[in-house]
Amino acid sequence: MILDGTRPDAIAEAARALRAGELLGLPTETVYGLAADAGSEAAVGRIFTAKGRPADHPLIVHVPDAHGIDAFARDVPAFARALAAAFWPGPLTLILPRREGVAAAAAAGQDSVGLRCPSHPVAQAVLRAAAAPGAGGAPVRGVAAPSANRFGRVSPTTAQHVAGEFGDALLVLDGGACDVGIESTIVDCTRGAPVLLRPGAVTRESIEAAAGQPLRDRDSLGAPDPRASGTLESHYAPTARVRLMDAKALQTALDVLGADAAHLAVYARAPLRQHSSRVVVRRMPEDAAATAQQLFAALRGFDDEGVKLIWVETPPDTPEWEGVRDRLRRAAA
């Protein structure tokens, strides 16, 4: 069931559902999440079951503001608080040492926990309503919310995408199309220096400026990474097979297929000669942020067209495109 997320009665119904241990389709600025009370092991278990997600793959806990850090984390380094001050609310997840006795199921048993404060006004309204005292049921201090799709598939960026994944039985708040369109940047803050686990809309340069120190890569400190959402090699995959090519290789492949090309979609910035009207073509924006915003909707749309192959022009190798390159690389894996 989809409800208008701008309506106060819909926000109240969503908060009631979370307090009752139910699942909720929640809009954020990145993608729509499949949300549940992070403090309820049973509710978190329903997320894993609904998604078909491995139980050892942790969830990100969403909090209404930076005060939520101390409810779930301990021994928080100064640079992590600086990152929260700079980018929260916003599309940045911090991996922090987990406070004992909280969010163990959401953290998949690890001694670290991923925390994020979303900026979407509907998400903010739900988080605050669910945490308010006296609204019936125990207050919800944080909401576990991985992307609202079957595990490993393309993330949803509209309420209709979520309903298509889980059906009418799931309460979904419609907050419009997501502004960012790809999942949050993830920074590990458990190893004495900030480590990038997943790129996103918050760039390396801006993280380094806020943290006051260099951002390390995953293998630079020797210690193993904590497990984190969306970091598997194969992820964000449509049903159709994705292949990345530069513009020249794309054109050569289209020329070779000629008029026989079928069951094929092309997503590219470069203008390409078409030899078959049966090829589904969508132009990739020249701007990285615009591409990120529409990327998952484009992949879902190609699946809806029934194509078997999706050929994508490789994005530029520049910092602002890193999040898009990451999602496409995983989709093609």
Side-chain angles (χ1 to χ4, degrees):
M1 174 174 59
I2 298 177
L3 298 181
D4 181 353
T6 65
R7 293 176 56 92
D9 58 335
I11 298 297
E13 175 63 14
R16 182 210 61 78
L18 290 173
R19 286 170 177 258
E22 299 172 11
L23 300 184
L24 171 71
L26 181 69
T28 80
E29 72 278 18
T30 56
V31 300
Y32 275 69
L34 186 62
D37 179 1
S40 167
E41 184 175 345
V44 169
R46 293 186 184 100
I47 294 177
F48 284 101
T49 299
K51 283 179 62 73
R53 186 185 182 100
D56 64 350
H57 201 60
L59 312 177
I60 293 169
V61 176
H62 294 67
V63 294
D65 53 43
H67 295 296
I69 290 177
D70 294 310
F72 291 94
R74 57 176 173 80
D75 302 328
V76 180
F79 71 81
R81 294 195 187 275
L83 291 175
F87 301 112
W88 282 11
L92 177 69
T93 294
L94 303 176
I95 306 295
L96 297 166
R98 181 170 61 86
R99 184 177 293 279
E100 187 175 355
V102 299
Q110 296 188 111
D111 60 3
S112 61
V113 63
L115 298 178
R116 184 167 96 81
C117 174
S119 64
H120 196 291
V122 174
Q124 276 287 320
V126 170
L127 288 169
R128 294 182 185 282
V140 174
R141 293 189 299 170
V143 169
S147 57
N149 53 276
R150 306 294 178 181
F151 183 68
R153 311 305 294 176
V154 178
S155 300
T157 54
T158 69
Q160 291 71 31
H161 291 163
V162 180
E165 291 273 347
F166 297 106
D168 292 338
L170 177 69
L171 174 61
V172 182
L173 291 185
D174 189 350
C178 299
D179 289 338
V180 175
I182 60 173
E183 298 81 0
S184 59
T185 304
I186 299 180
V187 175
D188 176 15
C189 303
T190 66
R191 291 186 278 178
V195 179
L196 182 67
L197 298 187
R198 181 176 70 184
V202 181
T203 64
R204 290 172 178 265
E205 291 80 5
S206 59
I207 292 169
E208 290 179 339
Q213 58 182 290
L215 180 60
R216 307 293 185 91
D217 288 316
R218 299 181 63 168
D219 58 355
S220 64
L221 296 183
D225 295 331
R227 297 187 303 277
S229 294
T231 55
L232 298 177
E233 277 304 304
S234 178
H235 213 68
Y236 315 114
T239 301
R241 190 176 191 81
V242 177
R243 182 180 176 190
L244 296 174
M245 291 181 273
D246 63 28
K248 182 178 179 181
L250 258 174
Q251 186 63 71
T252 299
L254 288 171
D255 291 343
V256 169
L257 288 178
D260 294 329
H263 306 297
L264 171 66
V266 175
Y267 190 46
R269 299 179 312 285
L272 300 169
R273 296 186 303 276
Q274 301 298 317
H275 305 284
S276 171
S277 60
R278 292 179 292 174
V279 176
V280 179
V281 179
R282 180 163 178 170
R283 188 73 178 267
M284 181 188 293
E286 297 290 338
D287 176 71
T291 301
Q293 197 274 334
Q294 68 169 237
L295 176 62
F296 289 149
L299 294 178
R300 284 177 171 268
F302 291 144
D303 266 349
D304 291 343
E305 294 277 355
V307 303
K308 292 182 171 58
L309 295 170
I310 302 172
W311 290 354
V312 180
E313 182 180 352
T314 305
D317 188 17
T318 54
E320 67 272 19
W321 284 89
E322 187 175 14
V324 172
R325 289 198 309 273
D326 172 81
R327 302 315 186 273
L328 284 171
R329 178 180 62 80
R330 296 179 196 276

